[in-house]
């Protein structure tokens, strides 16, 4: 490439103008397409100026190549017909078979070289109407091969009707010297060096122009995972509504706070090893650690015999079962701790609004919509005289801030809420109602043993963080969002999250 560039510059220097780069390519013994690359490069450096020269010519098609020597189809058919009595059509097709025979017969008939004689009995015969012909088609094809120009009408006939020639276009260039012409290309410097300064060569050195419109190199930095972006939006909505975030940094809970304090019976299927991850070391938390003995006894009593309007579950509550350690199955375990603390704080009861967003663990079969660990979003309001109407009002306010303004509620069952409701929202994108969360009012069997006053109720709701994130970012497999299969490219390139806009 360097030798070709030097040869081009030297030729231009000697001739001042190169009339056609195609001729230069032939003299240098290279394909013109190879020379074009060098021309483009020198033109970009303003060393030469290239003006387009458009070329046009006809070339023979593959079919026409054989007619240069054998003659056109019509000439072949005419020569196959003997003078005098002529020949039958069947005999003619045998002598000039295939498409050439069919096309040649048609053309010969149109030019009135041949005729069909039906005067004699039997099959009509093809006879000559002239003694000799001039093969004009063959002459035109030879002219095309020789580079001679054809009459317009005949050229169009051969190209469009008979498909014997086809147009070919190409481009060459007229070359002249550019404003920065030189016999040798000097690469512009990109930096001012100490050596240039000390030797003074910077005065004559050409420098590459700065492109002030170019984007800078992105600085190395971390990127927020989509879950963290959606979580920050949820957190912002909760804080705007006056909620306080609960401490959720304790993944390991005792069965007491995760199940028993929530009035969930010890024989409930959710407390089975098939649904919950139990710890083996340490396997237990002593009941007297962090739990008041009187409160423990009240929880035991309400499970066994009921109270506060309930008949209980009527079974023998076991302390050892409540001491088992596990990975929390819901953040409601944190809510139960916070409500117990609220009920027993100095100065008496004060209304509160809490929320949490953190990880929970369940022994689930992993598939495209389920993982063994995921994030739960939970909110609760604790105040005097709260009703189901208050819960519906808060839910409408909360989900409208998420952009989900159409809600429906369906009765449901939860061990620690009564009444309970599933929350559905209408998706304009999918054109259907989708379940978006669960809600309810905490049961008196959960609240009264804690010490909360009789007129205090708690409304609560929860949903996963993964499902809205998957919808917002168009992810259909939860394993592509959370876990070891997550693409780092997806984390780097995912857009900002703005809920409710």
């Amino acid at each position: 490439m360097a030798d070709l560039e030097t040869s081009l510059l030297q030729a231009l220097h000697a001739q001042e103008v190169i009339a056609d780069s195609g001729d230069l390519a032939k003299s240098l013994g290279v394909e013109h397409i190879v020379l074009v690359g060098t021309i483009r490069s020198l033109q970009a450096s303003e060393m030469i100026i290239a003006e387009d020269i458009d070329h046009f010519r006809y070339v023979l098609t593959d079919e026409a190549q054989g007619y240069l020597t054998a003659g056109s189809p019509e000439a072949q058919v005419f020569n196959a017909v003997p003078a005098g009595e002529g020949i039958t059509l069947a005999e003619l097709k045998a002598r000039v078979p295939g498409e050439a025979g069919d096309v040649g017969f048609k053309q010969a008939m149109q030019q009135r070289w041949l005729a069909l004689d039906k005067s004699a009995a039997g099959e009509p015969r093809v006879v000559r109407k002239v003694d000799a012909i001039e093969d004009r088609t063959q002459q035109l094809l030879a002219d095309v091969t020789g580079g001679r120009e054809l009459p317009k009408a005949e050229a169009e006939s051969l190209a469009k009707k008979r498909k014997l020639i086809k147009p070919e276009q190409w481009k060459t260039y007229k070359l002249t010297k550019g404003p920065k012409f030189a016999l040798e290309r000097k690469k512009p410097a990109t930096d001012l060096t100490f050596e240039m300064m000390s030797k003074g060569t910077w005065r004559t050195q050409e420098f590459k122009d700065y492109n002030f419109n170019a984007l800078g190199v992105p600085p190395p930095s971390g990127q927020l995972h989509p879950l963290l972006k959606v979580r920050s939006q949820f957190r912002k909505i909760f804080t705007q509504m006056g909620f306080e975030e609960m401490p959720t940094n304790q993944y390991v809970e005792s069965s007491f706070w995760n199940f028993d304090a929530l009035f969930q019976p010890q024989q409930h299927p959710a407390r089975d090893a098939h649904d919950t991850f139990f710890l083996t070391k340490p396997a237990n938390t002593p009941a007297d650690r962090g739990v008041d003995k009187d409160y423990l006894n009240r929880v035991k009593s309400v499970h066994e015999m009921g109270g506060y309007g309930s008949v209980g579950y009527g079974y023998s509550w076991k302390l050892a079962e409540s001491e088992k350690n596990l990975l929390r199955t819901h953040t409601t375990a944190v809510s139960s701790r916070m409500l117990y603390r609220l009920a027993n704080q100095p100065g008496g009861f004060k209304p509160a609004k809490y929320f949490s967003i953190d990880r929970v663990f369940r022994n689930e079969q992993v598939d495209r919509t389920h993982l063994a660990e995921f994030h739960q979003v939970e909110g609760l309001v604790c105040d005097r005289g709260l009703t189901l109407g208050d819960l519906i009002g808060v839910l409408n306010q909360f989900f409208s801030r998420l952009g989900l303004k159409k809600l429906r509620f369906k009765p449901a069952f939860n061990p620690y809420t009564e009444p309970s409701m599933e929350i559905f929202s209408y998706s304009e994108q999918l054109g259907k109602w989708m379940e978006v969360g669960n809600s309810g009012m905490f049961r008196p069997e959960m609240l009264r043993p804690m010490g909360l006053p009789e007129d205090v109720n708690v409304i609560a709701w929860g949903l996963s963080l993964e499902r809205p994130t998957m919808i917002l970012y168009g992810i259909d497999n939860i394993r592509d969002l959370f876990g070891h299969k997550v693409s780092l490219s997806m984390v780097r390139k995912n857009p900002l999250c703005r809920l409710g806009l």
Side-chain angles (χ1 to χ4, degrees):
M1 182 64 73
D3 293 340
L4 186 59
E5 182 177 295
T6 302
S7 300
L8 189 155
L9 292 172
Q10 289 176 348
L12 183 57
H13 180 65
Q15 303 174 30
E16 293 297 328
V17 176
I18 296 176
D20 195 315
S21 59
D23 298 333
L24 177 63
K26 291 178 182 177
S27 66
L28 296 177
V30 297
E31 293 287 339
H32 185 260
I33 190 65
V34 176
L35 185 62
V36 168
T38 303
I39 292 173
R40 294 293 187 203
S41 177
L42 291 172
Q43 187 180 23
S45 300
E46 299 182 31
M47 295 180 70
I48 65 171
I49 297 172
E51 298 177 35
D52 293 353
I53 303 174
D54 293 321
H55 298 269
F56 175 87
R57 68 182 178 189
Y58 283 110
V59 294
L60 301 186
T61 62
D62 293 339
E63 177 189 353
Q65 293 288 346
Y67 301 154
L68 280 174
T69 54
S72 66
E74 55 267 34
Q76 294 180 44
V77 169
F78 179 83
N79 293 329
V81 176
E85 295 183 357
I87 191 174
T88 65
L89 278 173
E91 292 172 333
L92 179 59
K93 288 186 177 181
R95 293 187 180 186
V96 188
E99 187 176 356
D102 295 336
V103 173
F105 179 72
K106 180 180 177 182
Q107 290 293 327
M109 292 291 287
Q110 287 180 352
Q111 297 186 44
R112 298 185 178 181
W113 294 351
L114 302 174
L116 273 177
D117 183 8
K118 301 181 180 179
S119 60
E123 186 178 352
R125 302 182 70 82
V126 180
V127 296
R128 292 185 179 185
K129 291 188 69 175
V130 295
D131 296 329
I133 61 167
E134 178 187 357
D135 193 351
R136 179 61 177 165
T137 301
Q138 187 182 38
Q139 293 174 5
L140 292 172
L141 296 180
D143 289 343
V144 170
T145 305
R148 293 180 289 276
E149 189 173 350
L150 303 183
K152 184 177 180 181
E154 292 180 309
E156 289 183 353
S157 175
L158 289 178
K160 295 180 179 179
K161 294 181 180 179
R162 302 194 62 179
K163 311 294 184 186
L164 296 179
I165 60 175
K166 58 184 178 181
E168 184 178 77
Q169 296 177 330
W170 75 100
K171 185 179 291 186
T172 58
Y173 305 93
K174 176 184 176 181
L175 306 178
T176 55
K177 293 180 180 179
K180 297 182 180 179
F181 178 82
L183 289 175
E184 182 181 356
R185 188 203 297 255
K186 292 183 179 179
K187 189 176 181 180
T190 56
D191 294 302
L192 182 64
T193 64
F194 173 78
E195 184 179 2
M196 293 178 189
M197 295 290 291
S198 60
K199 293 182 178 180
T201 56
W202 62 272
R203 292 184 177 90
T204 58
Q205 175 66 50
E206 182 183 357
F207 289 91
K208 186 176 181 180
D209 293 335
Y210 279 100
N211 181 5
F212 292 101
N213 295 320
L215 297 176
V217 177
S221 62
Q223 285 84 20
L224 286 177
H225 189 280
L227 280 172
L228 298 180
K229 294 182 178 182
V230 178
R231 185 180 70 174
S232 68
Q233 290 294 300
F234 272 101
R235 182 179 282 122
K236 184 182 295 184
I237 290 171
F238 274 116
T239 54
Q240 288 173 348
M241 293 176 65
F243 283 72
E244 175 188 350
E245 188 165 11
M246 295 184 282
T248 55
N249 56 347
Q250 185 172 315
Y251 290 170
V252 177
E253 283 284 4
S254 69
S255 293
F256 178 81
W257 290 112
N258 198 84
F259 294 124
D260 294 285
L262 302 179
F263 194 56
Q264 195 157 337
Q266 293 184 342
Q267 68 272 24
H268 194 281
R271 301 180 69 154
D272 191 84
H274 292 294
D275 294 302
T276 303
F277 292 110
F278 288 95
L279 271 65
T280 56
K281 187 177 182 181
N284 301 291
T285 296
D288 57 357
R289 182 178 297 176
V291 182
D292 179 74
K293 188 174 182 180
D294 290 338
Y295 175 47
L296 194 70
N297 288 331
R298 289 196 296 270
V299 171
K300 175 183 179 181
S301 175
V302 77
H303 275 254
E304 292 182 343
M305 296 177 292
Y308 319 104
S310 169
V311 297
Y313 292 114
Y315 71 98
S316 178
W317 186 85
K318 295 180 175 58
L319 180 63
E321 187 69 26
S322 71
E323 293 178 337
K324 291 182 178 179
N325 286 334
L326 50 83
L327 294 176
R328 67 184 180 208
T329 61
H330 46 199
T331 52
T332 316
V334 181
S335 302
S336 64
R337 286 179 178 272
M338 293 298 294
L339 289 173
Y340 176 71
R341 187 184 304 173
L342 183 66
N344 294 277
Q345 65 182 351
F349 169 76
K350 293 180 182 178
K353 295 191 286 188
Y354 295 127
F355 81 93
S356 64
I357 308 172
D358 213 330
R359 194 173 303 183
V360 296
F361 309 86
R362 294 181 188 173
N363 195 359
E364 299 258 15
Q365 178 67 40
V366 176
D367 56 31
R368 65 188 305 109
T369 58
H370 296 86
L371 289 177
E373 53 180 313
F374 57 96
H375 295 78
Q376 181 177 336
V377 181
E378 183 169 342
L380 65 89
V381 180
C382 181
D383 204 349
R384 300 182 188 275
L386 292 176
T387 66
L388 188 64
D390 295 306
L391 174 60
I392 293 174
V394 172
L395 290 176
N396 276 296
Q397 183 182 7
F398 174 77
F399 282 98
S400 67
R401 290 173 181 254
L402 298 179
L404 307 176
K405 300 184 184 298
K406 296 181 180 179
L407 295 185
R408 281 181 179 175
F409 306 96
K410 176 183 175 182
F413 170 78
N414 289 314
Y416 46 88
T417 59
E418 180 60 38
S420 305
M421 299 185 302
E422 292 176 346
I423 310 166
F424 292 82
S425 174
Y426 186 78
S427 170
E428 299 289 350
Q429 293 176 329
L430 301 178
K432 65 178 182 179
W433 291 90
M434 297 178 57
E435 184 180 355
V436 293
N438 217 318
S439 65
M441 301 183 66
F442 284 149
R443 297 175 67 110
E445 299 95 321
M446 170 187 167
L447 301 178
R448 303 300 166 245
M450 293 179 176
L452 288 169
E454 290 284 337
D455 60 343
V456 170
N457 292 327
V458 178
I459 57 177
W461 69 97
L463 64 152
S464 76
L465 184 64
E466 281 76 7
R467 176 173 289 185
T469 304
M470 291 171 68
I471 295 173
L472 285 169
Y473 286 93
I475 299 171
D476 63 354
N477 191 328
I478 194 171
R479 289 168 290 194
D480 295 331
L481 176 68
F482 189 68
H484 66 283
K485 292 186 177 181
V486 171
S487 167
L488 293 180
S489 175
M490 181 274 291
V491 175
R492 293 190 190 100
K493 297 178 181 179
N494 67 79
L496 294 172
C497 174
R498 289 293 182 266
L499 296 179
L501 298 182

